[in-house]
Amino acid sequence: MATIYEVSRLAGVSLATVSRVVNNSDRVSARTREKVQAAMKELDYRPNSIAQSLATNRTNCVGVLVSELHGPVFGAMVSSIEKVLREAGKIAIFATGHNDRAKEEKGVEFLIDRSCDALILHIEALSDEFLQKCQASGAPLVFINRSIEGMEDHCIVLDNEHGGYLATKALLDLGHRQIAYIAGPLELGDARARLEGHKRALAEYGLAPDPALETVGDYHEAGGSRAMGELLDSGQAFTGVVCANDEMAAGAMSVIRSRGFSIPEDLSIVGFDNARWARYLYPRLTTVDYPVDQMGQMAGRWVLQNVYGLEGDPVQRAFRPELVVRESARAIGGDA
Amino acid sequence: MATIYEVSRLAGVSLATVSRVVNNSDRVSARTREKVQAAMKELDYRPNSIAQSLATNRTNCVGVLVSELHGPVFGAMVSSIEKVLREAGKIAIFATGHNDRAKEEKGVEFLIDRSCDALILHIEALSDEFLQKCQASGAPLVFINRSIEGMEDHCIVLDNEHGGYLATKALLDLGHRQIAYIAGPLELGDARARLEGHKRALAEYGLAPDPALETVGDYHEAGGSRAMGELLDSGQAFTGVVCANDEMAAGAMSVIRSRGFSIPEDLSIVGFDNARWARYLYPRLTTVDYPVDQMGQMAGRWVLQNVYGLEGDPVQRAFRPELVVRESARAIGGDA
DNA sequence: GTCGTTAGTGTAAGCGCTTTCATCCTGCAG
DNA sequence: CTGCAGGATGAAAGCGCTTACACTAACGAC
């Protein structure tokens, strides 16, 4: 691999001049520029990004910490973040936290150790204090789906409470009054918020939340199945169920079917996230859309603008989910 | 951020000594080591990885180029690669090629420019020559799902032909004789191989491939829907259909249902990939398992062993897909 | 003709680390 | 007491780049 030195020799100029044309900044005479470019071409010169980083103290790397790298939500998030960063010539490096305190800390440290210029974090377990300290001592931080006290303008958030409200309201509007709820793990803020929304919708219709109709899952298929099984076993009557995410809804649907009920004739179901495959289910799942692509994009854009000083469209920080009506929920007493 | 220099001063030793304890190599007396470690701790010293890379010419970065970052196949692949690399303290950086020649080239260059120690590539459009040249001039290359002439030992491959064979054979074994096929884009090697396998299975049962039952999709839901629509419109009789991937199978299932047929009573369907959500479909999709996690893991392990010289379990380079029997295909004339 | 400008270029000092080689002890054999 | 081996440490030269600063022409104004 040719170095800048060899280019400078071949072109008969100094290192500084070559560096100038590489960073096509500064004024370099047209003649010199051409000479240098010719030399670079001849040697197939490519700047060593490591050396550049050391000299400039800029790595052009953005660290991204998410719970998982794949799955309907995080896969899409990661993908959109990488895309917007890449288009600006920046590079994303990833770490996973699995909603675990220790792993999240390790992940953050890992990314900081790699000298990232900024960090995009989707985390659950780390305390506000830890994060404020990180921020103080190092790279700028952006948060997805979490609001940190005093750093609100670094947070790209989803109104999960509103989403939970919409999901349950969808069933209420269809005439359902006995509505079961399968929550996500309540140590997670979004799971709590979605549940709150559910309760607000009930309240709006003058219904008291019935603890017997409220179960907690794990955001995974297995938890959804288990929870659904318990609800069905409990003997409680209900005509609809809302699940705090699509994955659990998929698990619940299997169980409902395996018990001989049909959807939506016997039971309506509503999910949350609008996973790409939610419309592959049968019946196609009515759910709440989590605009995860957009939120990822905004996180990337925030970094581009606030860290790298690039221009661009404004960053939208707050998102409201919307209901996606499909066929898994229908009016009670509707023509079945 | 403290530098090695400050540590050396505080500990009262030279830079070289600090470096030695950091890389806990070489013989350093216990007393000195302790002094240095104390100083590091006091200053909260963390080595600057960029400077280390520059000095050692090792970045500990592995570039990964895939078609997409998300989706059932690539999401899982990326995730497992990142995991195995991370556990060894290496870092993965990603680029996407979208099966497009120009984008794949750009992606490879991008990764090379970042001084990756090795590249893991899942590519379609680049020629063998281009790749051989890359290999010659730079970082070691590993390929997933592609066999390159002369570099077979760098290739982690899936026997797609066998997979295609299994999918079709599953229907044949169930008594089906009129079997439609929805292929992936035929510019992709795996799509061609799966189709070949399909034909081999037919031949094994003494059946000639019927061009009227063979359509080409795009590996996406939309293409599956379109292709299924065409097959149904054509008026050709068939009792089963195999799709070259699950995504198209999902699209096909919607169309089948929307035309008033039921699965598997009227039509059996088999997919390929065993996407995580394939078992969420109704009926749960019979499909061919693409052991994408394992293959990603092997690619990572290959790098760990061959590039970084780490020990580890042997690398399995060739994989055979297996049939996953669920409910979307049933015996012809079976109790419906 | 002189002088101040200024565009264009070069010099050299880092960036924070690794690593070769030389140096310095310490201890032990003779 | 001398000499020497060998372990522990330090000095210093890079790794490939950027950039502050110095320098040189060339040019116009006076």
Side-chain angles (χ1 to χ4, degrees), chain A residues 271-298:
Chain A
F272 199 118
D273 279 351
N274 194 19
R276 210 164 44 127
W277 43 258
R279 63 172 190 277
Y280 300 165
L281 301 181
Y282 180 73
R284 302 187 315 140
L285 185 65
T286 292
T287 188
V288 173
D289 184 60
Y290 181 168
V292 68
D293 288 294
Q294 280 187 67
M295 288 176 64
Q297 189 186 353
M298 290 304 158

Side-chain angles (χ1 to χ4, degrees), chain A residues 65-126:
Chain A
L65 180 70
V66 287
S67 304
E68 311 280 345
L69 235 43
H70 61 308
V73 173
F74 293 113
M77 185 179 292
V78 150
S79 193
S80 73
I81 294 176
E82 200 272 344
K83 180 153 183 280
V84 38
L85 255 21
R86 250 317 269 305
E87 283 168 355
K90 308 305 177 190
I91 112 152
I93 74 183
F94 298 99
T96 52
H98 302 282
N99 296 331
D100 175 84
R101 168 78 169 265
K103 286 185 190 160
E104 288 185 352
E105 269 187 33
K106 262 193 121 124
V108 170
E109 278 175 12
F110 175 79
L111 295 173
I112 289 181
D113 280 355
R114 300 299 308 187
S115 312
C116 292
D117 295 332
L119 260 44
I120 295 177
L121 306 174
H122 182 292
I123 47 182
E124 280 296 344
L126 295 178

Side-chain angles (χ1 to χ4, degrees), chain B residues 123-321:
Chain B
I123 47 182
E124 279 296 345
L126 294 178
S127 68
D128 284 18
E129 296 78 55
F130 179 88
L131 296 169
Q132 283 157 342
K133 211 166 51 186
C134 277
Q135 168 81 7
S137 74
L141 266 31
V142 195
F143 302 93
I144 296 185
N145 205 19
R146 171 154 177 180
S147 189
I148 310 276
E149 187 142 355
M151 309 179 52
E152 286 77 7
D153 45 340
H154 293 221
C155 300
I156 315 288
V157 295
L158 178 70
D159 190 341
N160 281 292
E161 197 273 348
H162 183 67
Y165 168 82
L166 288 178
T168 297
K169 184 168 188 303
L171 288 180
L172 289 164
D173 285 345
L174 289 168
H176 296 265
R177 288 300 175 267
Q178 294 162 305
I179 300 176
Y181 189 85
I182 302 181
L186 294 177
E187 39 313 351
L188 302 187
D190 53 8
R192 286 195 301 273
R194 291 173 190 189
L195 177 58
E196 283 312 310
H198 162 70
K199 290 182 178 165
R200 178 161 64 89
L202 290 181
E204 201 173 287
Y205 275 69
L207 300 170
D210 178 352
L213 288 178
E214 233 173 65
T215 53
V216 177
D218 58 359
Y219 270 162
H220 297 299
E221 183 200 11
S225 301
R226 193 190 37 67
M228 195 67 227
E230 288 170 11
L231 283 168
L232 258 16
D233 289 338
S234 74
Q236 291 285 325
F238 56 95
T239 61
V241 55
V242 357
C243 300
N245 78 350
D246 290 351
E247 201 104 17
M248 294 197 297
M253 284 171 80
S254 303
V255 170
I256 292 169
R257 211 132 42 197
S258 75
R259 300 289 183 103
F261 298 110
S262 48
I263 306 169
E265 291 76 4
D266 300 317
L267 210 44
S268 284
I269 184 166
V270 177
F272 199 118
D273 280 350
N274 194 20
R276 210 163 44 126
W277 42 259
R279 62 172 191 278
Y280 300 166
L281 300 182
Y282 180 73
R284 301 187 316 140
L285 185 65
T286 291
T287 187
V288 174
D289 185 59
Y290 181 167
V292 70
D293 288 295
Q294 278 187 68
M295 288 175 65
Q297 189 186 353
M298 290 305 158
R301 191 183 287 175
W302 191 99
V303 170
L304 258 21
Q305 298 183 7
N306 293 283
V307 177
Y308 296 111
L310 270 43
E311 305 280 304
D313 297 334
V315 173
Q316 181 183 348
R317 286 212 316 277
F319 286 81
R320 285 206 124 197

Side-chain angles (χ1 to χ4, degrees), chain A residues 195-245:
Chain A
L195 178 57
E196 284 313 310
H198 162 71
K199 290 181 177 164
R200 178 161 62 89
L202 290 181
E204 203 174 284
Y205 275 69
L207 300 170
D210 178 352
L213 289 179
E214 232 173 66
T215 52
V216 177
D218 58 359
Y219 269 161
H220 298 298
E221 183 198 11
S225 301
R226 193 192 36 67
M228 194 68 227
E230 287 170 14
L231 283 168
L232 258 14
D233 289 338
S234 74
Q236 289 287 325
F238 54 96
T239 61
V241 54
V242 355
C243 300
N245 77 352

